[in-house]
Amino acid sequence: AQTVTQSQPEMSVQEAETVTLSCTYDTSESNYYLFWYKQPPSRQMILVIRQEAYKQQNATENRFSVNFQKAAKSFSLKISDSQLGDTAMYFCASADGSARQLTFGSGTQLTVLP
Amino acid sequence: DTEVTQTPKHLVMGMTNKKSLKCEQHMGHRAMYWYKQKAKKPPELMFVYSYEKLSINESVPSRFSPECPNSSLLNLHLHALQPEDSALYLCASSELRGANTEAFFGQGTRLTVV
């Protein structure tokens, strides 16, 4: 079984600043994947970034990057140059290599302030 | 086409009604999922279909009945629901093989049971 923990229920950041969202996970699988999903008030769950556990290099997608610490089972999300449209609930999630269904953390509500 | 389409977007039903939620994807994904999400909480997995066969049922009450008529469609039949079943119901799909592990989500159906 996999577990995902997000310890920050709410965070806020000023527009154009950088913010880091924390996530830790636990799994007995050797082949697994980690994700950050964003859910704005429109309700659509949107993939922000994905990390394959077998890759040592941290994933980046434009203003979004992760710090993947495999030994510590840590997977934090850094958002640079925050924009008002980044305001959303952010969920950290994991999936093992075969089953594919997602295990979600409890979420972090991020508010970007003008 | 990277869309998962859910209908209806909103549904209000009485406890004696029978209704169905529909989900459609044309990405060739062979895994489809139903999640239930309460406000400010992460999605909870309900059902998983793999190759049109039910592979996971997370101990969901029988008043929820899933159906997968073909590889593109997923239904959730509702009958004799309770007010506590009011929630956002999310459909998702993903590939079952290969390195592309991303799950694509629909916008959800907001269900209110009165």
Side-chain angles (χ1 to χ4, degrees):
Chain A
Q2 302 188 346
T3 60
V4 179
T5 302
Q6 294 178 251
S7 58
Q8 304 153 313
E10 296 181 358
M11 294 188 73
S12 62
V13 62
Q14 292 293 136
E15 197 174 4
E17 296 294 309
T18 296
V19 65
T20 298
L21 280 57
S22 301
C23 173
T24 58
Y25 65 93
D26 195 12
T27 179
S28 56
E29 301 288 332
S30 57
N31 180 25
Y32 58 92
Y33 303 86
L34 299 167
F35 307 87
W36 279 98
Y37 278 88
K38 163 186 175 180
Q39 188 176 35
S42 66
R43 313 181 321 206
Q44 181 100 43
M45 192 78 76
I46 301 164
L47 179 70
V48 175
I49 200 164
R50 169 181 59 222
Q51 175 81 43
E52 290 85 351
Y54 59 86
K55 289 187 177 179
Q56 292 187 335
Q57 188 171 5
N58 289 326
T60 62
E61 286 287 342
N62 301 314
R63 298 183 294 109
F64 300 89
S65 62
V66 298
N67 184 2
F68 174 45
Q69 301 289 326
K70 192 170 183 177
K73 295 186 177 177
S74 170
F75 182 61
S76 61
L77 174 69
K78 185 171 83 171
I79 306 174
S80 304
D81 186 26
S82 297
Q83 300 176 359
L84 296 177
D86 295 333
T87 293
M89 180 74 89
Y90 285 80
F91 291 102
C92 181
S94 67
D96 69 46
S98 57
R100 300 292 174 104
Q101 67 262 24
L102 295 164
T103 299
F104 287 94
S106 55
T108 296
Q109 175 63 49
L110 176 67
T111 302
V112 179
L113 304 169
Chain B
D1 182 4
T2 58
E3 278 195 351
V4 176
T5 304
Q6 288 188 245
T7 56
K9 288 187 169 42
H10 300 274
L11 179 62
V12 179
M13 61 184 290
M15 289 188 283
T16 59
N17 291 159
K18 286 185 181 181
K19 296 285 185 183
S20 296
L21 309 185
K22 296 186 183 301
C23 174
E24 189 169 4
Q25 58 88 14
H26 296 287
M27 293 177 278
H29 291 166
R30 303 309 297 274
M32 296 187 76
Y33 313 83
W34 280 115
Y35 289 88
K36 173 183 177 181
Q37 187 179 24
K38 291 282 201 178
K40 299 189 186 300
K41 296 291 186 182
E44 299 173 10
L45 184 66
M46 300 176 71
F47 303 104
V48 181
Y49 273 84
S50 304
Y51 299 106
E52 297 94 69
K53 294 191 188 313
L54 183 64
S55 58
I56 293 178
N57 175 343
E58 292 286 358
S59 303
V60 179
S62 59
R63 57 186 184 268
F64 295 91
S65 175
E67 179 196 20
C68 189
N70 60 54
S71 59
S72 300
L73 294 174
L74 186 66
N75 299 322
L76 186 62
H77 303 297
L78 314 173
H79 174 54
L81 294 192
Q82 303 298 307
E84 59 264 29
D85 297 322
S86 297
L88 180 68
Y89 288 84
L90 293 167
C91 174
S93 70
S94 72
E95 294 184 14
L96 272 174
R97 298 186 184 280
N100 191 351
T101 55
E102 176 182 354
F104 291 80
F105 285 82
Q107 282 198 306
T109 294
R110 176 76 65 193
L111 174 67
T112 304
V113 182
V114 297

